[in-house]
Amino acid sequence: MFFADKPYISDFFKMSVRDNGIPVVDTDTAKQMDLYDGTKRISEAQAVETIQKLKDPILYTTSENAIGWIAAHLAFSDLPGKIELFKNKLKFRELTKSLFPDFYFKGVGVEHLERIEFHQLPLPFIIKPIVGFFSMGVYKVSNIHEWGNAIEAIRTEIDQVKNLYPQEVMDPSAFIIEQCIDGDEFAVDAYFNSLGEPVILNILEHVFSSDSDVSDRVYMTSKKLIETNLKEFTEFAAKIGRLAGVKNFPVHIELRRDCSGILLPIEVNPMRFGGWCTTPDLAYLAYGFNPYLYYYLQKQPDWAEILKDKENRLFSVVVLDNSTGLKAEEIESFDYKRLISTFERPMELRKIDFKHYPVFGFLFTDTREDNFIELKNILDSDLNEFVTAKSSGEKK
Protein backbone atom coordinates (compact mmCIF):
# COMPACT_ATOMS: atom_id res chain seq x y z
CA MET A 1 0.00 0.00 0.00
CA PHE A 2 1.11 3.55 -0.70
CA PHE A 3 0.89 6.81 1.24
CA ALA A 4 0.07 10.04 -0.62
CA ASP A 5 1.20 13.02 1.42
CA LYS A 6 2.19 16.65 1.22
CA PRO A 7 3.88 18.64 -0.16
CA TYR A 8 3.14 17.25 -3.63
CA ILE A 9 2.08 14.28 -5.71
CA SER A 10 2.36 14.22 -9.48
CA ASP A 11 -0.28 13.34 -12.05
CA PHE A 12 1.92 10.39 -13.02
CA PHE A 13 1.84 9.07 -9.44
CA LYS A 14 -1.95 9.50 -9.30
CA MET A 15 -2.31 7.63 -12.59
CA SER A 16 0.05 4.88 -11.43
CA VAL A 17 -1.90 4.04 -8.27
CA ARG A 18 -5.32 4.33 -9.94
CA ASP A 19 -4.59 2.36 -13.10
CA ASN A 20 -2.77 -0.44 -11.30
CA GLY A 21 -5.10 -0.84 -8.34
CA ILE A 22 -2.42 0.05 -5.81
CA PRO A 23 -4.14 0.73 -2.47
CA VAL A 24 -3.63 4.20 -0.99
CA VAL A 25 -4.10 4.68 2.74
CA ASP A 26 -6.98 7.12 3.14
CA THR A 27 -5.42 9.43 5.73
CA ASP A 28 -6.75 12.93 6.34
CA THR A 29 -3.90 14.26 4.21
CA ALA A 30 -4.53 11.79 1.37
CA LYS A 31 -8.09 13.10 1.19
CA GLN A 32 -6.63 16.53 0.35
CA MET A 33 -4.26 15.35 -2.41
CA ASP A 34 -6.77 15.25 -5.31
CA LEU A 35 -6.30 11.59 -6.08
CA TYR A 36 -8.10 10.49 -9.24
CA ASP A 37 -11.58 9.02 -9.08
CA GLY A 38 -11.33 5.26 -9.14
CA THR A 39 -8.26 5.11 -6.89
CA LYS A 40 -8.39 2.17 -4.51
CA ARG A 41 -8.47 3.62 -1.00
CA ILE A 42 -8.21 1.72 2.25
CA SER A 43 -8.97 3.08 5.69
CA GLU A 44 -6.28 3.68 8.25
CA ALA A 45 -7.75 0.88 10.37
CA GLN A 46 -7.65 -1.50 7.39
CA ALA A 47 -4.05 -0.53 6.72
CA VAL A 48 -2.98 -1.25 10.30
CA GLU A 49 -4.87 -4.56 10.35
CA THR A 50 -3.28 -5.67 7.07
CA ILE A 51 0.23 -4.71 8.15
CA GLN A 52 -0.19 -6.61 11.42
CA LYS A 53 -0.62 -9.80 9.38
CA LEU A 54 2.41 -9.27 7.14
CA LYS A 55 6.07 -9.73 8.00
CA ASP A 56 7.49 -7.28 5.45
CA PRO A 57 4.64 -5.32 3.86
CA ILE A 58 5.25 -3.41 0.63
CA LEU A 59 4.84 0.22 1.64
CA TYR A 60 5.78 3.41 -0.18
CA THR A 61 5.50 7.08 0.78
CA THR A 62 5.50 9.99 -1.66
CA SER A 63 6.86 12.15 1.15
CA GLU A 64 8.63 11.63 4.42
CA ASN A 65 5.72 13.54 5.98
CA ALA A 66 4.04 10.12 6.18
CA ILE A 67 6.75 8.88 8.55
CA GLY A 68 4.82 10.51 11.39
CA TRP A 69 1.78 8.35 10.60
CA ILE A 70 3.96 5.23 10.46
CA ALA A 71 5.58 6.04 13.80
CA ALA A 72 2.18 6.62 15.44
CA HIS A 73 0.25 3.69 13.97
CA LEU A 74 2.87 0.99 13.31
CA ALA A 75 4.82 1.10 16.56
CA PHE A 76 4.09 -2.62 16.99
CA SER A 77 6.36 -3.37 14.01
CA ASP A 78 10.08 -2.84 13.46
CA LEU A 79 9.43 -0.40 10.61
CA PRO A 80 9.68 2.87 12.61
CA GLY A 81 13.06 1.71 13.94
CA LYS A 82 14.31 0.80 10.46
CA ILE A 83 13.24 4.20 9.15
CA GLU A 84 15.00 5.97 12.01
CA LEU A 85 18.27 4.22 11.13
CA PHE A 86 18.27 6.13 7.85
CA LYS A 87 16.30 9.29 8.57
CA ASN A 88 18.44 10.22 11.56
CA LYS A 89 21.79 11.05 9.97
CA LEU A 90 23.72 10.52 13.21
CA LYS A 91 22.27 7.03 13.65
CA PHE A 92 23.04 6.30 10.00
CA ARG A 93 26.71 7.22 10.47
CA GLU A 94 26.86 5.01 13.55
CA LEU A 95 25.18 2.16 11.62
CA THR A 96 27.74 2.33 8.80
CA LYS A 97 30.80 3.06 10.92
CA SER A 98 32.12 -0.48 10.41
CA LEU A 99 32.12 0.10 6.64
CA PHE A 100 33.74 3.54 6.87
CA PRO A 101 35.75 3.54 10.13
CA ASP A 102 37.84 6.62 9.27
CA PHE A 103 34.93 8.89 8.42
CA TYR A 104 34.64 11.89 10.78
CA PHE A 105 31.22 12.95 12.10
CA LYS A 106 29.94 14.72 15.21
CA GLY A 107 26.44 15.56 16.45
CA VAL A 108 25.69 18.94 18.05
CA GLY A 109 22.59 20.75 19.31
CA VAL A 110 21.76 24.00 17.53
CA GLU A 111 22.15 25.89 20.80
CA HIS A 112 25.76 24.69 21.09
CA LEU A 113 27.00 25.69 17.64
CA GLU A 114 28.83 28.80 18.89
CA ARG A 115 30.65 26.79 21.58
CA ILE A 116 32.31 24.32 19.20
CA GLU A 117 36.12 24.27 19.19
CA PHE A 118 36.47 25.18 15.54
CA HIS A 119 40.18 24.32 15.33
CA GLN A 120 39.34 20.70 16.17
CA LEU A 121 37.12 20.24 13.12
CA PRO A 122 38.41 18.81 9.80
CA LEU A 123 38.38 21.40 7.03
CA PRO A 124 36.43 21.62 4.90
CA PHE A 125 33.33 20.09 6.49
CA ILE A 126 29.59 19.91 5.90
CA ILE A 127 27.02 20.84 8.53
CA LYS A 128 23.38 19.80 8.12
CA PRO A 129 20.34 18.93 10.25
CA ILE A 130 20.43 15.43 11.72
CA VAL A 131 16.86 15.11 10.46
CA GLY A 132 16.54 17.17 7.29
CA PHE A 133 15.24 17.44 3.74
CA PHE A 134 15.84 19.22 0.43
CA SER A 135 19.28 20.71 1.21
CA MET A 136 17.73 22.99 3.83
CA GLY A 137 20.23 23.96 6.52
CA VAL A 138 23.14 22.38 4.60
CA TYR A 139 26.38 24.38 4.46
CA LYS A 140 29.96 23.73 3.43
CA VAL A 141 32.53 25.38 5.69
CA SER A 142 36.19 25.93 4.74
CA ASN A 143 37.30 28.61 7.22
CA ILE A 144 36.32 30.44 10.40
CA HIS A 145 34.65 33.25 8.45
CA GLU A 146 32.39 30.80 6.62
CA TRP A 147 31.62 29.12 9.94
CA GLY A 148 30.25 32.36 11.35
CA ASN A 149 28.21 32.94 8.21
CA ALA A 150 26.86 29.38 8.33
CA ILE A 151 25.68 29.73 11.92
CA GLU A 152 23.92 32.98 11.10
CA ALA A 153 22.34 31.49 7.96
CA ILE A 154 21.20 28.39 9.86
CA ARG A 155 19.38 30.50 12.45
CA THR A 156 17.69 32.53 9.70
CA GLU A 157 16.69 29.43 7.79
CA ILE A 158 15.26 27.78 10.89
CA ASP A 159 12.77 30.63 11.18
CA GLN A 160 11.87 30.34 7.49
CA VAL A 161 11.22 26.58 7.33
CA LYS A 162 10.11 25.65 10.85
CA ASN A 163 6.42 25.36 9.86
CA LEU A 164 6.86 23.84 6.38
CA TYR A 165 7.49 20.21 7.37
CA PRO A 166 6.70 18.01 10.37
CA GLN A 167 9.49 17.31 12.86
CA GLU A 168 9.94 13.77 11.49
CA VAL A 169 11.00 15.33 8.17
CA MET A 170 12.84 18.48 9.19
CA ASP A 171 14.11 18.99 12.75
CA PRO A 172 16.50 21.96 13.00
CA SER A 173 17.19 21.47 16.71
CA ALA A 174 20.22 19.21 16.14
CA PHE A 175 22.95 19.11 13.48
CA ILE A 176 25.67 16.77 12.30
CA ILE A 177 29.12 17.93 11.27
CA GLU A 178 30.82 15.63 8.77
CA GLN A 179 34.07 15.62 6.91
CA CYS A 180 33.58 16.87 3.37
CA ILE A 181 33.51 14.11 0.76
CA ASP A 182 35.13 15.32 -2.45
CA GLY A 183 34.31 13.78 -5.79
CA ASP A 184 31.36 13.17 -8.08
CA GLU A 185 27.98 12.95 -6.37
CA PHE A 186 25.21 10.56 -7.37
CA ALA A 187 21.62 9.80 -6.43
CA VAL A 188 20.11 6.33 -6.69
CA ASP A 189 16.47 5.26 -6.55
CA ALA A 190 16.28 1.66 -5.41
CA TYR A 191 14.37 -0.80 -3.29
CA PHE A 192 15.33 -3.80 -1.20
CA ASN A 193 13.13 -6.71 -2.28
CA SER A 194 11.51 -9.45 -0.21
CA LEU A 195 14.92 -11.16 0.09
CA GLY A 196 16.69 -7.95 1.12
CA GLU A 197 18.46 -7.64 -2.24
CA PRO A 198 18.78 -4.17 -3.79
CA VAL A 199 17.12 -3.38 -7.12
CA ILE A 200 18.33 -0.19 -8.83
CA LEU A 201 15.59 1.83 -10.57
CA ASN A 202 17.60 4.89 -11.58
CA ILE A 203 21.08 6.40 -11.24
CA LEU A 204 21.58 10.15 -11.49
CA GLU A 205 24.54 12.47 -11.22
CA HIS A 206 24.01 15.47 -8.96
CA VAL A 207 25.61 18.25 -10.98
CA PHE A 208 26.99 21.36 -9.26
CA SER A 209 27.98 24.81 -10.51
CA SER A 210 31.11 24.98 -8.31
CA ASP A 211 32.95 23.30 -5.44
CA SER A 212 31.04 25.40 -2.89
CA ASP A 213 27.61 24.69 -4.38
CA VAL A 214 25.39 22.47 -2.19
CA SER A 215 22.09 23.14 -3.97
CA ASP A 216 19.75 20.60 -5.59
CA ARG A 217 19.50 22.41 -8.94
CA VAL A 218 20.24 19.63 -11.46
CA TYR A 219 20.06 15.82 -11.33
CA MET A 220 20.97 14.09 -14.59
CA THR A 221 20.73 10.49 -15.80
CA SER A 222 21.99 8.82 -18.98
CA LYS A 223 22.75 5.47 -20.57
CA LYS A 224 26.47 5.86 -19.90
CA LEU A 225 25.87 6.80 -16.26
CA ILE A 226 23.75 3.73 -15.58
CA GLU A 227 25.92 1.25 -17.50
CA THR A 228 29.09 2.52 -15.82
CA ASN A 229 27.80 2.42 -12.25
CA LEU A 230 25.03 -0.18 -12.04
CA LYS A 231 27.09 -3.12 -10.76
CA GLU A 232 29.17 -1.11 -8.28
CA PHE A 233 26.21 0.82 -6.87
CA THR A 234 24.18 -2.37 -6.48
CA GLU A 235 26.99 -3.92 -4.44
CA PHE A 236 27.29 -0.71 -2.39
CA ALA A 237 23.57 -0.72 -1.59
CA ALA A 238 23.72 -4.39 -0.65
CA LYS A 239 26.29 -3.71 2.07
CA ILE A 240 24.13 -1.05 3.68
CA GLY A 241 21.00 -3.16 3.33
CA ARG A 242 22.63 -6.06 5.14
CA LEU A 243 23.62 -3.82 8.06
CA ALA A 244 20.10 -2.42 8.38
CA GLY A 245 18.32 -5.71 7.72
CA VAL A 246 15.63 -4.17 5.51
CA LYS A 247 13.23 -5.92 3.13
CA ASN A 248 10.52 -4.47 0.87
CA PHE A 249 12.02 -1.07 1.58
CA PRO A 250 12.34 1.77 -0.97
CA VAL A 251 15.25 4.22 -0.66
CA HIS A 252 16.77 7.28 -2.28
CA ILE A 253 20.54 6.98 -1.82
CA GLU A 254 22.95 9.89 -2.12
CA LEU A 255 26.64 9.00 -2.40
CA ARG A 256 30.00 10.24 -3.65
CA ARG A 257 32.98 8.60 -5.29
CA ASP A 258 36.16 10.19 -3.89
CA CYS A 259 39.39 10.85 -5.77
CA SER A 260 40.69 7.36 -4.97
CA GLY A 261 37.55 5.70 -6.33
CA ILE A 262 36.03 4.80 -2.96
CA LEU A 263 32.26 5.15 -2.61
CA LEU A 264 31.02 6.94 0.51
CA PRO A 265 27.36 7.48 1.46
CA ILE A 266 26.05 10.99 2.02
CA GLU A 267 22.67 9.79 3.24
CA VAL A 268 19.96 7.25 2.56
CA ASN A 269 16.40 8.56 2.54
CA PRO A 270 13.90 5.89 3.64
CA MET A 271 10.53 4.77 2.27
CA ARG A 272 10.64 6.85 -0.91
CA PHE A 273 12.48 7.60 -4.11
CA GLY A 274 13.36 11.19 -5.04
CA GLY A 275 11.20 13.75 -3.24
CA TRP A 276 8.33 15.66 -4.84
CA CYS A 277 7.85 12.76 -7.32
CA THR A 278 10.93 13.93 -9.22
CA THR A 279 13.45 11.18 -9.94
CA PRO A 280 10.98 8.27 -10.24
CA ASP A 281 8.90 10.28 -12.72
CA LEU A 282 12.09 11.19 -14.60
CA ALA A 283 12.83 7.47 -14.99
CA TYR A 284 9.46 7.06 -16.71
CA LEU A 285 9.94 10.11 -18.95
CA ALA A 286 13.47 9.05 -19.88
CA TYR A 287 13.32 5.25 -19.97
CA GLY A 288 9.64 4.36 -20.28
CA PHE A 289 9.16 2.14 -17.21
CA ASN A 290 7.25 2.89 -14.01
CA PRO A 291 9.40 2.74 -10.84
CA TYR A 292 6.34 2.82 -8.55
CA LEU A 293 4.87 -0.22 -10.28
CA TYR A 294 8.22 -2.01 -10.48
CA TYR A 295 8.59 -1.72 -6.71
CA TYR A 296 4.99 -2.72 -6.03
CA LEU A 297 5.27 -5.79 -8.27
CA GLN A 298 8.89 -6.53 -7.28
CA LYS A 299 10.11 -6.19 -10.87
CA GLN A 300 13.66 -5.51 -11.96
CA PRO A 301 14.49 -3.28 -14.95
CA ASP A 302 15.97 -4.99 -18.02
CA TRP A 303 18.56 -2.26 -18.43
CA ALA A 304 20.12 -3.75 -21.58
CA GLU A 305 16.78 -3.46 -23.35
CA ILE A 306 15.74 -0.15 -21.77
CA LEU A 307 18.94 1.66 -22.75
CA LYS A 308 19.12 0.46 -26.37
CA ASP A 309 18.28 3.77 -28.07
CA LYS A 310 19.42 6.24 -25.40
CA GLU A 311 22.91 7.12 -26.64
CA ASN A 312 24.16 10.69 -26.32
CA ARG A 313 21.13 11.91 -24.36
CA LEU A 314 21.05 13.49 -20.92
CA PHE A 315 17.75 13.36 -19.02
CA SER A 316 17.53 15.85 -16.15
CA VAL A 317 15.27 17.23 -13.48
CA VAL A 318 15.94 20.91 -12.80
CA VAL A 319 14.96 22.07 -9.31
CA LEU A 320 13.94 25.72 -9.54
CA ASP A 321 14.67 26.62 -5.94
CA ASN A 322 14.35 30.25 -4.91
CA SER A 323 17.97 31.35 -5.14
CA THR A 324 17.10 34.94 -6.17
CA GLY A 325 17.87 36.53 -2.82
CA LEU A 326 14.28 37.79 -2.75
CA LYS A 327 11.66 36.72 -0.25
CA ALA A 328 8.54 35.14 -1.71
CA GLU A 329 6.43 38.13 -0.73
CA GLU A 330 8.76 40.39 -2.74
CA ILE A 331 8.16 38.44 -5.97
CA GLU A 332 5.33 39.27 -8.33
CA SER A 333 5.75 36.41 -10.80
CA PHE A 334 8.05 33.83 -12.37
CA ASP A 335 8.39 33.70 -16.16
CA TYR A 336 7.99 29.98 -16.89
CA LYS A 337 7.61 30.58 -20.63
CA ARG A 338 10.99 32.29 -20.79
CA LEU A 339 12.56 29.49 -18.74
CA ILE A 340 11.26 26.80 -21.11
CA SER A 341 12.58 28.73 -24.12
CA THR A 342 16.14 28.23 -22.86
CA PHE A 343 15.89 24.42 -23.29
CA GLU A 344 15.76 22.57 -26.59
CA ARG A 345 13.68 19.60 -25.45
CA PRO A 346 11.67 20.33 -22.30
CA MET A 347 9.62 17.25 -21.40
CA GLU A 348 7.47 18.48 -18.53
CA LEU A 349 7.15 21.59 -16.35
CA ARG A 350 5.62 21.51 -12.89
CA LYS A 351 4.77 24.86 -11.35
CA ILE A 352 4.86 25.11 -7.56
CA ASP A 353 3.33 27.80 -5.34
CA PHE A 354 6.55 29.66 -4.48
CA LYS A 355 4.71 31.75 -1.90
CA HIS A 356 4.23 28.62 0.19
CA TYR A 357 7.33 26.55 -0.65
CA PRO A 358 10.85 27.87 -1.44
CA VAL A 359 10.77 26.52 -4.99
CA PHE A 360 9.27 27.84 -8.24
CA GLY A 361 8.86 24.43 -9.80
CA PHE A 362 10.53 21.47 -11.49
CA LEU A 363 11.52 21.12 -15.13
CA PHE A 364 12.23 17.76 -16.81
CA THR A 365 14.49 17.98 -19.85
CA ASP A 366 16.02 15.87 -22.61
CA THR A 367 19.39 17.34 -23.63
CA ARG A 368 21.88 16.28 -26.28
CA GLU A 369 25.27 15.56 -24.74
CA ASP A 370 26.90 18.16 -26.98
CA ASN A 371 24.44 20.80 -25.73
CA PHE A 372 25.34 20.51 -22.05
CA ILE A 373 25.67 24.30 -22.02
CA GLU A 374 21.91 24.64 -21.46
CA LEU A 375 22.26 22.73 -18.19
CA LYS A 376 25.38 24.69 -17.26
CA ASN A 377 23.50 27.95 -17.77
CA ILE A 378 20.70 26.99 -15.37
CA LEU A 379 23.26 25.69 -12.88
CA ASP A 380 25.01 29.06 -12.85
CA SER A 381 21.79 31.09 -12.72
CA ASP A 382 20.30 32.59 -9.55
CA LEU A 383 17.00 32.69 -11.52
CA ASN A 384 16.65 36.46 -11.21
CA GLU A 385 16.32 36.74 -15.00
CA PHE A 386 12.98 34.90 -14.75
CA VAL A 387 11.57 36.90 -11.84
CA THR A 388 9.51 40.08 -11.70
CA ALA A 389 9.89 41.83 -8.33
CA LYS A 390 6.90 43.56 -6.75
CA SER A 391 8.78 46.69 -5.73
CA SER A 392 9.75 47.87 -9.21
CA GLY A 393 7.59 45.77 -11.50
CA GLU A 394 10.71 45.10 -13.53
CA LYS A 395 12.77 41.96 -14.10
CA LYS A 396 15.56 41.72 -11.53
Side-chain angles (χ1 to χ4, degrees), residues 8 10-12 281 285 346-350 362-365:
Y8 176 88
S10 66
D11 291 340
F12 177 63
D281 291 24
L285 291 169
M347 295 190 291
E348 184 176 331
L349 172 69
R350 296 175 181 173
F362 301 89
L363 178 66
F364 298 83
T365 71

Side-chain angles (χ1 to χ4, degrees), residues 225-283:
L225 195 64
I226 291 174
E227 289 180 339
T228 302
N229 298 290
L230 182 61
K231 183 176 184 293
E232 186 181 15
F233 286 7
T234 301
E235 292 169 353
F236 177 85
K239 292 177 184 178
I240 294 175
R242 283 193 291 270
L243 285 176
V246 287
K247 297 178 180 179
N248 293 340
F249 198 90
V251 288
H252 180 72
I253 305 171
E254 297 176 11
L255 68 156
R256 281 200 179 212
R257 181 184 285 113
D258 69 13
C259 57
S260 60
I262 296 173
L263 294 179
L264 291 166
I266 299 171
E267 59 190 44
V268 178
N269 300 287
M271 299 305 297
R272 64 171 176 86
F273 304 136
W276 291 71
C277 297
T278 51
T279 55
D281 291 24
L282 178 62

Side-chain angles (χ1 to χ4, degrees), residues 229-348:
N229 298 290
L230 182 61
K231 183 176 184 293
E232 186 181 15
F233 286 7
T234 301
E235 292 169 353
F236 177 85
K239 292 177 184 178
I240 294 175
R242 283 193 291 270
L243 285 176
V246 287
K247 297 178 180 179
N248 293 340
F249 198 90
V251 288
H252 180 72
I253 305 171
E254 297 176 11
L255 68 156
R256 281 200 179 212
R257 181 184 285 113
D258 69 13
C259 57
S260 60
I262 296 173
L263 294 179
L264 291 166
I266 299 171
E267 59 190 44
V268 178
N269 300 287
M271 299 305 297
R272 64 171 176 86
F273 304 136
W276 291 71
C277 297
T278 51
T279 55
D281 291 24
L282 178 62
Y284 175 74
L285 291 169
Y287 302 126
F289 73 92
N290 188 330
Y292 305 114
L293 188 60
Y294 269 47
Y295 166 56
Y296 184 69
L297 298 178
Q298 301 276 287
K299 292 181 65 177
Q300 185 161 344
D302 181 352
W303 284 113
E305 183 66 26
I306 288 169
L307 297 174
K308 267 184 179 178
D309 61 345
K310 306 300 182 183
E311 290 85 0
N312 305 314
R313 296 165 70 184
L314 307 174
F315 304 99
S316 305
V317 56
V318 180
V319 182
L320 302 167
D321 55 307
N322 185 357
S323 54
T324 62
L326 295 173
K327 296 179 181 178
E329 58 267 24
E330 297 174 324
I331 298 174
E332 180 67 34
S333 62
F334 187 91
D335 193 339
Y336 295 99
K337 186 175 180 180
R338 182 179 177 187
L339 169 81
I340 288 177
S341 71
T342 65
F343 292 87
E344 63 176 2
R345 297 175 184 171
M347 295 190 291
E348 184 176 331

Side-chain angles (χ1 to χ4, degrees), residues 136-156:
M136 290 183 288
V138 180
Y139 295 92
K140 182 177 181 179
V141 177
S142 301
N143 54 58
I144 189 69
H145 176 69
E146 291 180 355
W147 178 233
N149 290 342
I151 293 175
E152 183 178 349
I154 283 169
R155 298 204 180 281
T156 299

